[in-house]
C-alpha cells in the first residue's frame, strides 16, 4: 500500500517536471539553461520585494498644538513653596550671651550648659584664644579662595601635619565644615554599583553622602554585631558578582543619635574575614576615647592602619570648626583632586586652623583633662541611674549621655514635643541647658528620641548633681 | 601631573592685594612638591577679595578680636541647641536688611547651604531647571533632593521659556502627572565666565509660568550694584520677585559662611527642617562679627565713607582693567562692571607657561583647565579687588602683556574698532 502511494507520487512528480520543462526544453538564455525552478525563484523574488516595500503600521503621532500647550500652562497651579507654618515650628532656641562653656548666660541668668560638645572644656582656654588672636591679626578672618587658588595658607599645611603626627597616620586633609566632611568623602570613593553596609543610626551628613554616592546601601541594626555579620554573610553568598565589586562598611565611633560606642575590634575582625573596607566617623571620639585621646582605635587597641578612612568633625572636643580626614597617602591625595567639598569650596579660615593646632597641643600636654571628663561621666551615670520614666541608652564611657523615653507615645512628633517641653522647663526653672532630639523630615534615622547631655571636663560636681536632680524631678512630673 | 605647581600654591600672609607665595621645589618632575621656607612677594590677582576685607581691617578686626575673647572660637553646638548667640541673631537681621528681604538664615559654609537647602524645598515630583553652567554645589543639592533636573542654555531666557512650556505641558516623566512645583536656579555672576545673569527677563518668564526663582549670589553680593546689594540692585529687579536669594560671605565680606534670604515663613520653615541648621555646628562667632562689621562699613554706618569708596574703586578698577586688556588684544569674557575676568588661553599647553611666566615676574594669577572648564577652553581668571591701586593694575597689565606675547594668546589685533566684533563673539560663546 505504501509503495503504491510512493510510486504514484513519484510518477506524478515526473509528469509535472516534464510538463514544465517541455516548453523551454531547448531555450538557453544568457548561457544558462532555463528550467522550471527559475520561474519559482523569480516569483518568490517579486513577493519579497513587494513585502519589503510595504510601510509598517505606526499609530499616528499627534503632537500638542501651540494653543493646547498654552492652555495647559495657564491651567497648571503649583504647590506653594512651603507648607503652612504650624505652631510647633515657631519654637525659638535659647540665645546665648557669653561663651558656650560649662557655664553660660541666657537672658541675663547664669545657666549650666549641657548642650555644647565641649568635651574637654577647651572653649575659653587662654592658649587657644592667644593663638586665634595672633592668627587674626596676621591673616584676617577669611581665606578668600578655595585650596587650589591661593587659599592654601601655611597654617592649613601645619594643621594637617600636626593631626597626622597626633594620630600616627601618613597624611591628613582639612575640610572647611564638619558636616561636609562625610558627604564629600563618601561620594569620592563610593560610586554607582558599589555595596555599602551602614549602621541605621548614622547621622544626616553620612546619610546624605550615601545618597549622593548612588551605591547600593544595606543597613544593619544599630550597633548590633550579629546583624552586621549576617548582613555581610548574605551579601557575600547571595550575589556571585559581589567578589568583583568594591565593598564598604560605614560606622560612627560614638553615635550622635544614641551615644553608643561601636565595637571596633569586632568590626575589624569581620572586615578582614569578608574583605570589606571600613570608613569610620570619629567626630565625637577624637580627643575623648583612649588613654591619650587618640580615638576609638586606641580605646580598643586596634592599630589605626587597619581602618581605611577616618574622618572627624573638629567642632566637638577640639572646640574649633571644620573637619578632617586621615589615612593612607594615596587616599588623601585622591581627595585633593576629586572631593567636591574640598575643591569647590573656600578653605577653612586660618584662625580656626591655628586653634586646632593649639587644641591638639593642649590635649597632648594635659592628659588629666581626659581623666576628669571620664570621672564626670561616671558621676552623672550614678546620679541618673534611678530616673523614672527614662532609661540610659548610651554606653557608660561615651561623653554623650542619652536618656530615652521608656514608654513612647507611639508618634515621634508627640515624643519630640514632650521632650521639648521638658528641656524648656529645665531651662526656665532650674537654669539648665539640655538638648532634646531634633529631627528633620530628611533624616531617615528611626532610633528612639530622647534627651542628650553632653558632659564636659569643665563641669563641676555640683553641676552634675544639679542636673541629675532636676531631670529626675521633671521626669516624674511630666512622664508619669 | 607636570603642571601641578600651578595649583595649590601655599601662601604665608593674608590674602590681600600683595601676598607672600611660598616657594616649592620638586625632585620628581612635579609629582610631589615640597615646601621651602622662602617666599616671594607677589601681586595677588587670584583671591576672591572684592572689597578688600581679606586682611587686617581697622574697623572690623578689633571688633572680631573682642567677640573672640567674649564668645571664643566656636560654640561646639548646632544652632537649635546652644549655638545661637546674640551675635548670630544680630547677623541674621543685618543680612536680611542688607539684602532687602524680610528674614534670613545663616549657615557655616556656602557649599553646604546649597546642598542642604534645596532638598528641603523640593523633593520627588518637583522639577529643577538650572543653568547649564551652574556651580557644583547647586548640582549636588539638586541631585540630593530627588527631583527631576533639566538644564537650559546658559543665560538664554528664550530657551528657558521653551523648556518651561515643554515641561509643564508634558508633566512628570512616564506618568505625565502635573509637576508639584518648579524651581529655576540661576547665579548672579558666573565664576568661570564673568557674565552677569539676565535677571529681569528670567524673572518675567518665571512669573508668567508660575515657577519659583532661586538666585545664587555667591560672587555678586557686595561686589556689584551701587551700594553693593548685588545683581538685583544693578539690574533694577525688585527683591520681592525673587523667591529665594542665596549668597556666601567668603568673597566680598572676607569671612566664611552662606545665607538664604526670603519671606519670614520660608525662613521659619527652613529653621525647623534644614539639616545644616539642626545638625551642623553653628558659624564661628568671630566670623559672624566680621560679616556684621563689613556690612556696617559698606553701608557707611561706621561713620566713614570707606564703604562707598571701596565700591566705587572696585567698579573703576574692573572697568579700567577690562578695557586695557581688550585694547591689548586679549580675548576677555564677561560683562562690564563684573570684577571677574577670564582671559582665554584655549590651548591646555599654555596653562603652565602663562602661570609660570607671571609668577617669575611676581604676579600671582589663577589658571583653570579641565575639568572646571571644557578641555579646549582653558582660561586664566583675574579677580580684581578694591584694594588694588592704579600702580598695581598698571604693573599687572605690563606683566600680563609680556606673558601674553610669549605664549601667543593675543588672539585679537590690538585695535579699538575691533571691540564691537569681540563683544558679539563673546555673547555667542
Amino acid at each position: 500500500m505504501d509503495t503504491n502511494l510512493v510510486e504514484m507520487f513519484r510518477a506524478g512528480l515526473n509528469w509535472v517536471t516534464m510538463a514544465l520543462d517541455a516548453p523551454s526544453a531547448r531555450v538557453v538564455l544568457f548561457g544558462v539553461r532555463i528550467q522550471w525552478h527559475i520561474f519559482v525563484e523569480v516569483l518568490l523574488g517579486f513577493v519579497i520585494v513587494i513585502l519589503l516595500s510595504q510601510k509598517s503600521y505606526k499609530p499616528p503621532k499627534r503632537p500638542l498644538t501651540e494653543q493646547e500647550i498654552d492652555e495647559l500652562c495657564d491651567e497648571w497651579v503649583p504647590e506653594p513653596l512651603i507648607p503652612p507654618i504650624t505652631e510647633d515650628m515657631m519654637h525659638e532656641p535659647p540665645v546665648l550671651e557669653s561663651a558656650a562653656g560649662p557655664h553660660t548666660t541666657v537672658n541675663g541668668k547664669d545657666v549650666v550648659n549641657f548642650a555644647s560638645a565641649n568635651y574637654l572644656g577647651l572653649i575659653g582656654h587662654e592658649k587657644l584664644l592667644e593663638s586665634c588672636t595672633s592668627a587674626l591679626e596676621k591673616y584676617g578672618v577669611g581665606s578668600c579662595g578655595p585650596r587650589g587658588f591661593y587659599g592654601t595658607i601655611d597654617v592649613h599645611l601645619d594643621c594637617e601635619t600636626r593631626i597626622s603626627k597626633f594620630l600616627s597616620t601618613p597624611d591628613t586633609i582639612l575640610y572647611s565644615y564638619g558636616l561636609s566632611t562625610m558627604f564629600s568623602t563618601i561620594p569620592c570613593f563610593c560610586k554607582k554599583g558599589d555595596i555599602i553596609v551602614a549602621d541605621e543610626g548614622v547621622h544626616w551628613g553620612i546619610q546624605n553622602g550615601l545618597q549622593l554616592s548612588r551605591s547600593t546601601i544595606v543597613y544593619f541594626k544599630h550597633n548590633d554585631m550579629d546583624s552586621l555579620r549576617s548582613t555581610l554573610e548574605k551579601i557575600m553568598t547571595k550575589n556571585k558578582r559581589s567578589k568583583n565589586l568594591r565593598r564598604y562598611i560605614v560606622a560612627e565611633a560614638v553615635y550622635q543619635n544614641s551615644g553608643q560606642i561601636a565595637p571596633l575590634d569586632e568590626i575589624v575582625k569581620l572586615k578582614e574575614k569578608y574583605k570589606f573596607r571600613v570608613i569610620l566617623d570619629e567626630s565625637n571620639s577624637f580627643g575623648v576615647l583612649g588613654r591619650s585621646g587618640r580615638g576609638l582605635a586606641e580605646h580598643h587597641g586596634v592599630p589605626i592602619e587597619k581602618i581605611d578612612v577616618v574622618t572627624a568633625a573638629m567642632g566637638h572636643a577640639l572646640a574649633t570648626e571644620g573637619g578632617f580626614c586621615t589615612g593612607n597617602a594615596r587616599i588623601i591625595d585622591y581627595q585633593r583632586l576629586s572631593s567636591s567639598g574640598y575643591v569647590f569650596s573656600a578653605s577653612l579660615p586660618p584662625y580656626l586652623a591655628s586653634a586646632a593646632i593649639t587644641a591638639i597641643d593642649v590635649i597632648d600636654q594635659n592628659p588629666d583633662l581626659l581623666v576628669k571628663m571620664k570621672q564626670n561621666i561616671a558621676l552623672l551615670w550614678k546620679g541618673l541611674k534611678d530616673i523614672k520614666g527614662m532609661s540610659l541608652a548610651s554606653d557608660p564611657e561615651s561623653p554623650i549621655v542619652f536618656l530615652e523615653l521608656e514608654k513612647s507615645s507611639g508618634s515621634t512628633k508627640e515624643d519630640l514635643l514632650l521632650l521639648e517641653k521638658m528641656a524648656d522647663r529645665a531651662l526656665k526653672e532650674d537654669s539648665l541647658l539640655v538638648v532634646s532630639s531634633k529631627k528633620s523630615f530628611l533624616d531617615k534615622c528611626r532610633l528612639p528620641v530622647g534627651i542628650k547631655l553632653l558632659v564636659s571636663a569643665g563641669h563641676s560636681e555640683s553641676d552634675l548633681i544639679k542636673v541629675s536632680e532636676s531631670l529626675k524631678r521633671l521626669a516624674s512630673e511630666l512622664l508619669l | 601631573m607636570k603642571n601641578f605647581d600651578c595649583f595649590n600654591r601655599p601662601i604665608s600672609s593674608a590674602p590681600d592685594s600683595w601676598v607672600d607665595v611660598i616657594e616649592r621645589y620638586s625632585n620628581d618632575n612635579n609629582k610631589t612638591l615640597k615646601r621651602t621656607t622662602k617666599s616671594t612677594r607677589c601681586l595677588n590677582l587670584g583671591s576672591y577679595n572684592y572689597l578688600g576685607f581679606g586682611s587686617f581691617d581697622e574697623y572690623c578686626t578689633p571688633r572680631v578680636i573682642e567677640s573672640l575673647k567674649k564668645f571664643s572660637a566656636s560654640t561646639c553646638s548646632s544652632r537649635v541647641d546652644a549655638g545661637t548667640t546674640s551675635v548670630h541673631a544680630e547677623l541674621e537681621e543685618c543680612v536680611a536688611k542688607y539684602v532687602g528681604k524680610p528674614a534670613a538664615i545663616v549657615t557655616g559654609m556656602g557649599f553646604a547651604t546649597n546642598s542642604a537647602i534645596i532638598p528641603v524645598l523640593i523633593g520627588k515630583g518637583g522639577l529643577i531647571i538650572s543653568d547649564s553652567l551652574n556651580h557644583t554645589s547647586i548640582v549636588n543639592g539638586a541631585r540630593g533632593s530627588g527631583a527631576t533636573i533639566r538644564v537650559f542654555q546658559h543665560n538664554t531666557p528664550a530657551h528657558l521659556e521653551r523648556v518651561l512650556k515643554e515641561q509643564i505641558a508634558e508633566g512628570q516623566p512616564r506618568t505625565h502627572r502635573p509637576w508639584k512645583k518648579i524651581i529655576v536656579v540661576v547665579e548672579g555672576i558666573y565664576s568661570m565666565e564673568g557674565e552677569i545673569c539676565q535677571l529681569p527677563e528670567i524673572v518675567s518668564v518665571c512669573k508668567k509660568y508660575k515657577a519659583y526663582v532661586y538666585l545664587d549670589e555667591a560672587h555678586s553680593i557686595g561686589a556689584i550694584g551701587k551700594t553693593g546689594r548685588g545683581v538685583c540692585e544693578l539690574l533694577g529687579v525688585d527683591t520681592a520677585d525673587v523667591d529665594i536669594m542665596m549668597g556666601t560671605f567668603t568673597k566680598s565680606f572676607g569671612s566664611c559662611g552662606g545665607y538664604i534670604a526670603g519671606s519670614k515663613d520660608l525662613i521659619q520653615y527652613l529653621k525647623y527642617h534644614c539639616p545644616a541648621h539642626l545638625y551642623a555646628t553653628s558659624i564661628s562667632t568671630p566670623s559672624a562679627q566680621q560679616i556684621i562689621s563689613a556690612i556696617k562699613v559698606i553701608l557707611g554706618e561706621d561713620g566713614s565713607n570707606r564703604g562707598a569708596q571701596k565700591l566705587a574703586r572696585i567698579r573703576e578698577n574692573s572697568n579700567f582693567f577690562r578695557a586695557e586688556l581688550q585694547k591689548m588684544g586679549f580675548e576677555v569674557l564677561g560683562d562690564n562692571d563684573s570684577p571677574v575676568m577670564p582671559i582665554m588661553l584655549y590651548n591646555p599647553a599654555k596653562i603652565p607657561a602663562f602661570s609660570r611666566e607671571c609668577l617669575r615676574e611676581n604676579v600671582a594669577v589663577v589658571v583653570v583647565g579641565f575639568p572646571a572648564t571644557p578641555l579646549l577652553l582653558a582660561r586664566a581668571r583675574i579677580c580684581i579687588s578694591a584694594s588694588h591701586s592704579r600702580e598695581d593694575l598698571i604693573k599687572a597689565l605690563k606683566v600680563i602683556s609680556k606673558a601674553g606675547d610669549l605664549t601667543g594668546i593675543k588672539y585679537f589685533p590690538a585695535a579699538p574698532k575691533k571691540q564691537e566684533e569681540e563683544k558679539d563673539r563673546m555673547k555667542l560663546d
Side-chain angles (χ1 to χ4, degrees):
Chain A
M1 197 46 195
D2 297 305
T3 42
N4 273 345
L5 220 53
V6 169
E7 276 202 36
M8 266 184 359
F9 180 66
R10 226 182 261 157
L13 201 57
N14 272 337
W15 186 87
V16 165
T17 318
M18 260 193 350
L20 287 175
D21 258 342
S24 55
R26 279 181 290 274
V27 172
V28 176
L29 198 63
F30 300 118
V32 174
R33 275 199 63 202
I34 300 287
Q35 290 173 327
W36 66 275
H37 63 86
I38 302 272
F39 290 115
V40 176
E41 283 156 15
V42 169
L43 191 59
L44 208 53
F46 270 134
V47 170
I48 290 175
V49 168
I50 289 176
L51 278 178
L52 280 178
S53 64
Q54 297 272 14
K55 272 207 309 212
S56 62
Y57 174 70
K58 279 198 189 72
K61 259 202 213 175
R62 290 170 45 224
L64 298 172
T65 62
E66 279 298 316
Q67 200 196 12
E68 283 172 340
I69 293 183
D70 284 335
E71 270 175 22
L72 282 169
C73 293
D74 283 333
E75 273 174 15
W76 178 67
V77 176
E79 270 181 14
L81 190 56
I82 43 164
I85 304 285
T86 54
E87 182 71 53
D88 46 328
M89 291 192 198
M90 307 288 286
H91 184 252
E92 295 288 336
V95 175
L96 272 71
E97 285 152 18
S98 72
H103 281 257
T104 179
T105 325
V106 175
N107 278 338
K109 268 193 321 180
D110 180 77
V111 304
V112 184
N113 182 9
F114 278 94
S116 293
N118 175 20
Y119 302 132
L120 299 174
L122 291 176
I123 289 185
H125 197 276
E126 331 84 48
K127 283 222 186 88
L128 261 87
L129 292 181
E130 238 175 68
S131 74
C132 282
T133 315
S134 53
L136 280 171
E137 282 170 356
K138 184 171 179 204
Y139 299 110
V141 174
S143 60
C144 297
R147 288 291 289 258
F149 303 150
Y150 304 105
T152 308
I153 306 190
D154 46 1
V155 281
H156 292 137
L157 301 171
D158 291 337
C159 188
E160 290 176 356
T161 337
R162 186 74 183 83
I163 297 179
S164 308
K165 206 167 80 158
F166 183 68
L167 288 176
S168 335
T169 52
D171 208 355
T172 307
I173 177 175
L174 268 189
Y175 284 92
S176 53
Y177 200 48
L179 199 64
S180 77
T181 314
M182 256 312 186
F183 75 64
S184 304
T185 314
I186 297 184
C188 190
F189 295 113
C190 311
K191 305 284 184 203
K192 191 166 177 159
D194 295 342
I195 301 184
I196 306 186
V197 177
D199 188 297
E200 65 180 2
V202 288
H203 65 86
W204 179 82
I206 301 183
Q207 287 172 24
N208 198 24
L210 295 174
Q211 194 186 1
L212 285 172
S213 71
R214 305 210 205 180
S215 320
T216 327
I217 307 184
V218 183
Y219 288 105
F220 67 91
K221 283 215 210 32
H222 182 55
N223 220 19
D224 184 350
M225 289 298 112
D226 293 318
S227 164
L228 176 61
R229 187 177 304 122
S230 63
T231 318
L232 295 177
E233 187 74 53
K234 218 174 11 183
I235 292 179
M236 293 309 289
T237 52
K238 172 178 80 158
N239 204 348
K240 290 211 186 17
R241 281 183 60 239
S242 298
K243 294 219 188 343
N244 299 335
L245 296 170
R246 286 192 291 251
R247 313 179 284 279
Y248 300 91
I249 301 179
V250 173
E252 280 180 60
V254 175
Y255 290 93
Q256 208 168 328
N257 288 329
S258 70
Q260 305 237 4
I261 298 187
L264 189 64
D265 41 1
E266 291 194 33
I267 295 183
V268 167
K269 274 206 250 318
L270 286 171
K271 155 202 146 140
E272 293 188 326
K273 178 169 171 202
Y274 292 101
K275 305 225 186 343
F276 273 62
R277 294 188 168 97
V278 171
I279 303 182
L280 190 65
D281 180 20
E282 289 219 40
S283 303
N284 291 304
S285 67
F286 183 80
V288 167
L289 292 181
R291 204 179 29 90
S292 60
R294 279 166 170 72
L296 194 62
E298 193 185 19
H299 180 78
H300 282 290
V302 172
I304 196 153
E305 296 83 43
K306 299 230 168 154
I307 312 177
D308 301 280
V309 180
V310 172
T311 65
M314 300 198 284
H316 302 270
L318 289 178
T320 169
E321 303 239 349
F324 65 85
C325 174
T326 87
N328 197 325
R330 295 261 298 275
I331 291 180
I332 302 302
D333 261 338
Y334 184 71
Q335 282 183 45
R336 285 193 208 277
L337 285 176
S338 40
S339 170
S340 46
Y342 180 81
V343 173
F344 294 109
S345 173
S347 53
L348 189 63
Y351 74 96
L352 292 171
S354 67
I357 301 177
T358 323
I360 298 184
D361 286 335
V362 168
I363 297 179
D364 245 347
Q365 290 154 7
N366 300 32
D368 50 319
L369 286 171
L370 285 148
V371 173
K372 180 99 197 325
M373 187 199 64
K374 291 190 178 39
Q375 277 172 355
N376 283 354
I377 300 176
L379 273 173
L380 192 58
W381 265 75
K382 211 164 64 158
L384 289 173
K385 203 161 48 187
D386 44 1
I387 186 170
K388 304 227 177 21
M390 302 185 105
S391 56
L392 284 160
S394 57
D395 197 288
E397 298 193 40
S398 101
I400 302 181
V401 176
F402 196 81
L403 289 161
E404 66 178 28
L405 293 170
E406 260 171 17
K407 258 196 334 232
S408 153
S409 70
S411 123
T412 319
K413 213 155 177 261
E414 294 289 326
D415 290 343
L416 287 172
L417 282 172
L418 182 60
L419 292 167
E420 206 177 274
K421 211 165 28 168
M422 205 159 138
D424 283 340
R425 280 185 61 177
L427 178 60
K428 228 182 339 196
E429 296 166 15
D430 299 322
S431 302
L432 281 170
L433 206 51
V434 293
V435 178
S436 64
S437 298
K438 307 278 189 312
K439 280 247 180 312
S440 159
F441 71 86
L442 291 173
D443 192 349
K444 295 204 227 20
C445 166
R446 293 275 163 266
L447 292 185
V449 294
I451 299 257
K452 258 199 307 204
L453 296 168
L454 303 171
V455 181
S456 157
H459 283 132
S460 62
E461 210 176 305
S462 55
D463 294 333
L464 300 166
I465 297 181
K466 187 169 169 198
V467 77
S468 331
E469 298 299 311
S470 161
L471 283 176
K472 280 200 272 221
R473 183 180 63 89
L474 284 168
S476 58
E477 280 177 28
L478 288 171
L479 296 175
L480 294 173
Chain B
M1 200 155 60
K2 303 243 172 65
N3 65 354
F4 268 1
D5 65 318
C6 302
F7 305 106
N8 291 315
R9 288 194 184 139
I11 61 178
S12 65
S13 72
D16 202 7
S17 51
W18 284 84
V19 75
D20 288 324
V21 176
I22 296 180
E23 289 174 12
R24 297 184 291 175
Y25 70 94
S26 170
N27 292 334
D28 51 0
N29 209 5
N30 282 346
K31 209 157 140 193
T32 52
L33 290 151
K34 298 204 216 337
R35 276 161 81 177
T36 61
T37 43
K38 292 206 307 251
S39 57
T40 28
R41 193 125 185 98
C42 299
L43 179 62
N44 185 2
L45 292 176
S47 294
Y48 299 138
N49 183 17
Y50 298 139
L51 292 178
F53 284 114
S55 62
F56 185 93
D57 185 86
E58 60 202 6
Y59 180 80
C60 301
T61 316
R63 285 176 174 68
V64 168
I65 296 185
E66 217 183 279
S67 94
L68 169 76
K69 292 203 167 74
K70 186 170 174 207
F71 290 102
S72 159
S74 157
T75 55
C76 289
S77 155
S78 67
R79 283 291 299 274
V80 284
D81 297 336
T84 309
T85 61
S86 47
V87 178
H88 291 102
E90 194 190 334
L91 172 64
E92 292 190 341
E93 263 181 49
C94 206
V95 167
K97 221 169 47 181
Y98 181 68
V99 168
K101 282 280 200 183
I105 176 177
V106 170
T107 51
M109 182 188 183
F111 187 99
T113 313
N114 273 330
S115 307
I117 295 283
I118 299 183
V120 176
L121 293 175
I122 192 168
K124 199 148 176 276
L127 175 66
I128 298 181
I129 306 185
S130 86
D131 190 291
S132 59
L133 296 175
N134 267 343
H135 192 250
T136 314
S137 57
I138 299 178
V139 173
N140 259 8
R143 283 203 192 134
S145 68
T148 318
I149 307 177
R150 293 277 177 266
V151 162
F152 74 95
Q153 235 175 46
H154 174 61
N155 226 3
T156 321
H159 191 241
L160 171 64
E161 180 162 6
R162 251 205 328 268
V163 169
L164 268 171
K165 270 169 91 153
E166 251 176 61
Q167 289 300 322
I168 297 181
E170 252 191 54
Q172 297 187 25
R174 292 174 66 228
T175 55
H176 294 291
R177 287 197 195 115
W179 295 107
K180 291 205 180 137
K181 51 182 115 143
I182 301 186
I183 299 188
V184 174
V185 182
V186 287
E187 288 189 29
I189 290 187
Y190 291 93
S191 55
M192 285 298 153
E193 319 291 312
E195 270 176 16
I196 300 183
C197 143
Q198 293 185 19
L199 198 57
E201 291 90 354
I202 292 184
V203 164
S204 66
V205 165
C206 292
K207 262 191 163 151
K208 187 165 149 206
Y209 292 94
K210 297 173 262 189
Y212 300 112
V213 180
Y214 183 106
L215 178 65
D216 178 340
E217 293 211 78
H219 284 266
S220 52
I221 188 80
I224 56 180
K226 202 150 81 54
T227 52
R229 284 183 158 89
V231 74
C232 288
E233 190 183 11
L234 183 74
L235 298 174
V237 174
D238 188 7
T239 50
D241 288 336
V242 179
D243 303 286
I244 309 149
M245 295 173 72
M246 177 260 169
T248 60
F249 300 119
T250 337
K251 282 95 184 175
S252 311
F253 301 96
S255 174
C256 64
Y259 70 87
I260 298 255
S263 65
K264 272 205 162 49
D265 280 348
L266 173 70
I267 301 299
Q268 196 64 38
Y269 179 73
L270 287 176
K271 280 190 175 163
Y272 189 69
H273 278 298
C274 170
H277 200 248
L278 296 179
Y279 303 125
T281 321
S282 60
I283 183 176
S284 164
T285 321
S287 307
Q289 182 61 44
Q290 160 81 8
I291 303 166
I292 299 178
S293 314
I295 293 182
K296 288 217 170 83
V297 170
I298 294 176
L299 292 176
E301 286 172 16
D302 64 328
S304 73
N305 67 342
R306 280 197 314 146
Q309 273 177 8
K310 282 184 199 266
L311 287 163
R313 236 194 348 249
I314 188 175
R315 210 170 30 244
E316 258 174 54
N317 284 357
S318 335
N319 290 339
F320 168 71
F321 207 73
R322 182 174 266 117
E324 289 298 313
L325 281 177
Q326 283 174 343
K327 270 199 229 146
M328 284 199 262
F330 287 102
E331 182 170 351
V332 182
L333 304 181
D335 298 332
N336 267 336
D337 280 352
S338 140
V340 177
M341 294 175 215
I343 303 178
M344 292 308 293
L345 298 172
Y346 288 117
N347 188 342
K350 297 188 179 168
I351 298 178
F354 188 78
S355 172
R356 285 175 197 154
E357 191 55 44
C358 287
L359 191 61
R360 208 168 300 158
E361 308 278 339
N362 292 346
V363 168
V365 295
V366 159
V367 283
V368 204
F370 186 78
T373 61
L375 184 59
L376 291 175
L377 296 177
R379 58 202 78 176
R381 186 178 68 175
I382 311 275
C383 291
I384 298 293
S385 153
S387 52
H388 285 134
S389 66
R390 198 42 84 95
E391 296 83 42
D392 294 337
L393 294 181
I394 294 179
K395 171 184 159 103
L397 284 165
K398 266 210 280 284
V399 170
I400 292 181
S401 179
K402 182 154 164 250
D405 281 328
L406 280 169
T407 50
I409 53 176
K410 289 190 178 170
Y411 295 117
F412 293 129
K417 72 169 160 34
K418 288 264 180 173
Q419 278 186 4
E420 261 66 50
E421 241 173 89
E422 280 167 50
K423 286 216 172 49
D424 287 343
R425 224 173 293 188
M426 277 191 292
K427 285 285 190 306
L428 285 173
D429 268 43

